[in-house]
C-alpha cells in the first residue's frame, strides 16, 4: 500500500524543493501538499510535478481546523513533514500576531489532527524549524542541539513555541516526532524579501542594495537542495523524539556576502568590475537584529551520515544563474503586492 505523506508549505521556497525530491525519489509515497498559497506560496514552483501520479495539491490554511481535519479524515496520513510557516523576520516585527496564528496555532491544529486521525503507530510528525530559536551568538561558538532556546524576534519566538508544542505532544500524548533546526537557506525559488534574492533583483535593476546597520552580522548559509536532502535523511532515519541541527559550516558577514554577489553579478551581466558594489547603501538596522548564527551539525553528520553536496561557490553560482535564467518568475513575484511591501519596509529606513 502507498504511504500518504502530508507535506505542509510545499509551495514555498524550501517546501517546493522537499516536495520535488520526495515525489521524484519515492514513487511509493503519495505526496499530499497542503498550502494556503500566501504571498510566499507559488504553484509555479511546482509546475513540473502537475502530471505526477503520486502528487496532489490542496489549498488549505493550517489555521482552519475544520479544513485540516477534513484532509486527515479523508485519507489515512502516515506521516507529516511540516514546513508551512510565516518565515520572514522583518514581517514578524511588523505583524507578530500573524506569526502566532500560523506558526503556533497552525502547528497545534496539525498536531491535534495527526494525534486524532494519523498513523501514530508507525508514522511520525516532522517539524522543520530554524536555528534562530537558539537566539544569537557572539564571535565564538556554535549552536548545538543542547543550546538553550532564547529566541529574540517574533518569528523565532513563534518557531520556538511550535518546537515546544511538538515536543510537549511527544511527552504528553506519545506522539512520534522529530525536529530539525537549520541555518539560512539559499537557492532557487526563494521569495525576494530574503537577503540573497532581494539583492540579486536589485542589482539587476540598478536599485540601492539596503544593507542593515554596518553589515557585520553573520549568517551560516546552506544550499536549499542540501537542506532538502537532510530533511529526507532525518525523516527516514532520525531517531524519534530527537532534534537535529542542520548547517552549512559556511559563515558570512552580510557585507562580504553582498560584495561577493556584486562581483559575480558584474561578471554575469557584463558590467565593469565594481559597478554593482556602488549600489550598496547602509540603512537603519533591523530591530533586535541577531548578531551571529552558526551551527554545529556534527550529530547529523556522524549519526546519520549527511553532509552538504556542494561548496558555497558552486551553490551560489547555480543560484544566481537560476534567477538570471528565470526572469519571468522574478518579474511575476515582484509585481503587485511586492511593490507595496518594499515601499513599506524600505522607504522609511534612513540611509546611514
Ligand atoms: P516560505 O515563506 O518560502 O514558504 C512558506 C510556505 O508556507 C508558503 O508556501 C506559504 O503559502 C505556506 N503557508 C504560510 N502560511 C500558511 C498557512 N496558514 N497555511 C498553510 N500554508 C501556509 O518559507 P521557507 O523559507 O520555505 O521556510 C519553510 C520552513 O522552513 C518554515 O517553517 C521555516 O521556519 C523553516 N526554515 C526556513 C529557513 C530559511 O532559511 N528560509 C531556515 C530554517 C528553517
Ligand atoms: P534574511 O534573509 O531576512 O534572513 P534572517 O533574518 O532569517 O537571517 O536576512 C539575512 C541577513 O541579511 C540578516 O542579518 C539581515 C540582513 N538583511 C539586510 O542587511 N538587508 C536586507 O534587505 C535583508 C532582507 C536582510
Amino acid at each position: 500500500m502507498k504511504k500518504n505523506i502530508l507535506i505542509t508549505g510545499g509551495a514555498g521556497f524550501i517546501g517546493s524543493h522537499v516536495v520535488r525530491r520526495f515525489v521524484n525519489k519515492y514513487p511509493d509515497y503519495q505526496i499530499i501538499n497542503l498550502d494556503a498559497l500566501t504571498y510566499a506560496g507559488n504553484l509555479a514552483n511546482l509546475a513540473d510535478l502537475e502530471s505526477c501520479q503520486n502528487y496532489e495539491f490542496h489549498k488549505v490554511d493550517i489555521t482552519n481546523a475544520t479544513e485540516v481535519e477534513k484532509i486527515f479524515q479523508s485519507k489515512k496520513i502516515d506521516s507529516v513533514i511540516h514546513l508551512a510557516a510565516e518565515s520572514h523576520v522583518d514581517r514578524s516585527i511588523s505583524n507578530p500576531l500573524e506569526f502566532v496564528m500560523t506558526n503556533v496555532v497552525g502547528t497545534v491544529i496539525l498536531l491535534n489532527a495527526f494525534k486524532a486521525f494519523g498513523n501514530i503507530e508507525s508514522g511520525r510528525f516532522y517539524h522543520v524549524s530554524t536555528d534562530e530559536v537558539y537566539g544569537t551568538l557572539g564571535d565564538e561558538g556554535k549552536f548545538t542541539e543542547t543550546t538553550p532556546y532564547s529566541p529574540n524576534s517574533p518569528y523565532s519566538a513563534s518557531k520556538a513555541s511550535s518546537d515546544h508544542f511538538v515536543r510537549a505532544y511527544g511527552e504528553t500524548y506519545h506522539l512520534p516526532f522529530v525536529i530539525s533546526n537549520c541555518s539560512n537557506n539559499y537557492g532557487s525559488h526563494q521569495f525576494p524579501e530574503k537577503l540573497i534574492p532581494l539583492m540579486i533583483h536589485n542589482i539587476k535593476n540598478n536599485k540601492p542594495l539596503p544593507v542593515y546597520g554596518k553589515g557585520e552580522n553573520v549568517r551560516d548559509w546552506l544550499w536549499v537542495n542540501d537542506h532538502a536532502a537532510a530533511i529526507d535523511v532525518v525523516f527516514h532515519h532520525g531517531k524519534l523524539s530527537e532534534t537535529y541541527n542542520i548547517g552549512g559550516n559556511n559563515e558570512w558577514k552580510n557585507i562580504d556576502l553582498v560584495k561577493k554577489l556584486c562581483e559575480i553579478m558584474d561578471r554575469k551581466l557584463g558590467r565593469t568590475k565594481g559597478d554593482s558594489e556602488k549600489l550598496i547603501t547602509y540603512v537603519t538596522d533591523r530591530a533586535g537584529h541577531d548578531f551571529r548564527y552558526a551551527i554545529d551539525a556534527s550529530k547529523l553528520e556522524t549519526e546519520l551520515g549527511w553532509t552538504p553536496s556542494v561548496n558555497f561557490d558552486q551553490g551560489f553560482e547555480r543560484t544566481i544563474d537560476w534567477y538570471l535564467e528565470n526572469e519571468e518568475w522574478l518579474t511575476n513575484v515582484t509585481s503587485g503586492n511586492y511593490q507595496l511591501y518594499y515601499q513599506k519596509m524600505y522607504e522609511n529606513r534612513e540611509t546611514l
Side-chain angles (χ1 to χ4, degrees):
M1 262 256 292
K2 259 192 180 178
K3 278 193 175 150
N4 287 324
I5 312 295
L6 184 88
I7 300 184
T8 70
F13 166 49
I14 301 171
S16 61
H17 288 274
V18 175
V19 165
R20 180 170 298 100
R21 183 180 180 94
F22 274 66
V23 169
N24 290 333
K25 194 171 162 193
Y26 300 110
D28 287 345
Y29 291 166
Q30 183 66 18
I31 301 299
I32 302 160
N33 177 8
L34 213 79
D35 196 299
L37 299 181
T38 68
Y39 78 93
N42 185 350
L43 283 182
N45 294 352
L46 295 165
D48 54 315
L49 300 184
E50 266 163 26
S51 60
C52 292
Q53 298 277 311
N54 65 332
Y55 172 68
E56 58 192 272
F57 173 75
H58 298 264
K59 185 171 184 300
V60 172
D61 187 326
I62 57 165
T63 64
N64 185 332
T66 313
E67 289 291 309
V68 169
E69 275 173 23
K70 248 194 234 163
I71 295 282
F72 276 81
Q73 280 173 313
S74 68
K75 41 195 108 208
K76 183 86 177 165
I77 300 297
D78 286 285
S79 287
V80 175
I81 306 178
H82 175 36
L83 294 110
E86 287 294 333
S87 68
H88 190 41
V89 173
D90 290 324
R91 287 186 196 253
S92 82
I93 295 168
S94 314
N95 191 355
L97 196 55
E98 209 171 348
F99 283 66
V100 176
M101 292 312 293
T102 291
N103 300 359
V104 185
V105 177
T107 299
V108 174
I109 285 173
L110 281 169
L111 286 165
N112 282 341
F114 187 60
K115 174 163 95 59
F117 308 109
N119 180 1
I120 52 170
E121 289 79 35
S122 57
R124 56 180 53 193
F125 188 101
Y126 179 178
H127 188 224
V128 175
S129 192
T130 166
D131 62 348
E132 302 188 25
V133 297
Y134 298 121
T136 185
L137 293 165
D139 288 323
E140 300 294 321
K142 292 186 176 198
F143 298 133
T144 71
E145 286 80 0
T146 56
T147 303
Y149 276 31
S150 182
N152 292 317
S153 72
Y155 164 65
S156 54
S158 69
K159 292 296 290 188
S161 173
S162 48
D163 282 359
H164 289 322
F165 269 105
V166 173
R167 193 167 291 112
Y169 270 61
E171 282 295 319
T172 309
Y173 309 111
H174 307 295
L175 192 109
F177 78 89
V178 65
I179 297 173
S180 60
N181 297 85
C182 186
S183 59
N184 289 56
N185 285 211
Y186 69 93
S188 69
H189 301 90
Q190 187 171 30
F191 193 77
E193 62 188 351
K194 305 277 177 16
L195 181 72
I196 291 175
L198 183 141
M199 294 294 173
I200 292 175
H201 179 63
N202 285 13
I203 292 171
K204 248 187 77 189
N205 294 294
N206 270 307
K207 282 176 59 179
L209 308 179
V211 172
Y212 297 165
K214 293 187 173 144
E216 285 178 351
N217 302 62
V218 176
R219 297 291 182 264
D220 170 55
W221 292 94
L222 178 69
W223 194 41
V224 64
N225 302 64
D226 282 329
H227 187 192
I231 289 172
D232 187 347
V233 169
V234 171
F235 178 70
H236 288 102
H237 306 292
K239 264 199 230 147
L240 289 180
S241 311
E242 295 269 328
T243 282
Y244 294 87
N245 279 355
I246 308 173
N249 209 7
N250 175 42
E251 290 178 50
W252 285 85
K253 263 189 197 170
N254 291 339
I255 187 60
D256 295 340
L257 185 70
V258 172
K259 283 184 178 166
K260 183 181 173 76
L261 178 61
C262 287
E263 208 180 296
I264 300 174
M265 291 286 282
D266 278 345
R267 172 162 51 81
K268 291 195 186 284
L269 296 173
R271 291 183 184 167
T272 308
K273 198 165 179 248
D275 265 8
S276 300
E277 233 185 86
K278 290 184 197 138
L279 298 168
I280 291 175
T281 312
Y282 294 92
V283 297
T284 315
D285 208 351
R286 173 186 280 172
H289 197 173
D290 283 338
F291 173 62
R292 174 172 166 258
Y293 303 142
I295 279 273
D296 177 349
S298 55
K299 176 177 173 185
L300 179 60
E301 290 169 1
T302 54
E303 288 184 17
L304 304 186
W306 170 90
T307 47
S309 69
V310 297
N311 64 34
F312 186 58
D313 280 343
Q314 293 166 327
F316 206 38
E317 285 264 347
R318 284 186 205 177
T319 300
I320 296 164
D321 285 343
W322 187 84
Y323 288 96
L324 293 178
E325 284 159 14
N326 288 274
E327 207 169 327
E328 199 184 330
W329 185 94
L330 205 51
T331 306
N332 284 342
V333 299
T334 51
S335 55
N337 284 341
Y338 181 79
Q339 302 298 331
L340 296 175
Y341 166 80
Y342 201 87
Q343 266 173 23
K344 190 175 149 221
M345 210 50 96
Y346 292 93
E347 210 167 55
N348 296 325
R349 278 184 191 273
E350 226 177 291
T351 302
L352 302 175

